Amino acid sequence: MRNPQQQGYSLIELVIYIALFALISVVIMNALVTVMRTYASAQGYRRLQTNGELIMERVVREVRDASTVAGGSVYGAHPGTLSLSGTDTGGAPRTAVFSVINGALVLSENGTSANLSTSEVTVNTFIVRHITTTNGEGVRIELGLTTTNGHIVSDPFYATAMLRGM
């Protein structure tokens, strides 16, 4: 207790105040770290989903536009290769080959190559299965992606498409 003529705080009061400040600081820092980890995880998952959806949309579109699955395809194994033949809108012959090179899914069209996956993700699974039915042929694709920066997230993507090109 303070005497009315005393100035300042006692040593015990200072220790209690410092301990309370330290405890509150630890709780706030722990909450901040948790929020930052959750944000990084959500960002990684968003990058992964965006890449996966765009890649699968492109592969399915190319399969549907193709007239045949070419002989250079590798089925049932990673890294698979999908080679498609068809014609472009002008009627010229067109070949599209999907393959994994250095962890990226690459589309080669008539000799020109482009990465379909961004540098933020790595393709860890690309398996192609050929499907033949009485109505035609198709392809089942399994794609596995992993984020490469920030919080590591992995997710599989699946699609099936039938060839409709002429």
Side-chain angles (χ1 to χ4, degrees):
M1 288 284 174
R2 254 191 250 165
N3 196 345
Q5 292 140 352
Q6 259 185 329
Q7 298 290 333
Y9 297 101
S10 71
L11 183 59
I12 294 174
E13 289 173 325
L14 283 175
V15 168
I16 291 171
Y17 294 144
I18 291 172
L20 284 173
F21 178 74
L23 180 65
I24 291 170
S25 296
V26 166
V27 168
I28 289 173
M29 290 303 290
N30 192 15
L32 184 61
V33 167
T34 301
V35 166
M36 296 296 283
R37 283 184 185 155
T38 303
Y39 178 75
S41 177
Q43 289 286 55
Y45 189 73
R46 183 182 57 78
R47 282 191 297 270
L48 190 74
Q49 289 296 312
T50 301
N51 269 270
E53 289 170 6
L54 290 174
I55 290 170
M56 292 306 264
E57 179 182 323
R58 180 66 186 262
V59 173
V60 167
R61 184 171 17 125
E62 293 292 338
V63 169
R64 288 182 178 154
D65 289 345
S67 46
T68 61
V69 177
S73 298
V74 176
Y75 304 117
H78 171 73
T81 301
L82 177 60
S83 183
L84 304 167
S85 296
T87 56
D88 62 13
T89 54
R94 181 173 176 275
T95 302
V97 179
F98 294 92
S99 58
V100 177
I101 300 173
N102 296 325
L105 188 65
V106 176
L107 169 60
S108 300
E109 292 182 273
N110 294 336
T112 305
S113 297
N115 282 356
L116 294 181
S117 56
T118 65
S119 61
E120 299 170 328
V121 299
T122 299
V123 176
N124 54 20
T125 307
F126 183 66
I127 300 173
V128 179
R129 294 182 190 352
H130 189 240
I131 301 169
T132 305
T133 67
T134 56
N135 297 330
E137 65 179 325
V139 177
R140 172 133 172 92
I141 303 117
E142 179 182 336
L143 175 70
L145 299 177
T146 302
T147 57
T148 55
N149 58 357
H151 190 77
I152 296 175
V153 181
S154 290
D155 219 2
F157 297 86
Y158 303 96
T160 303
M162 299 302 286
L163 281 74
R164 297 189 294 198
M166 309 214 194

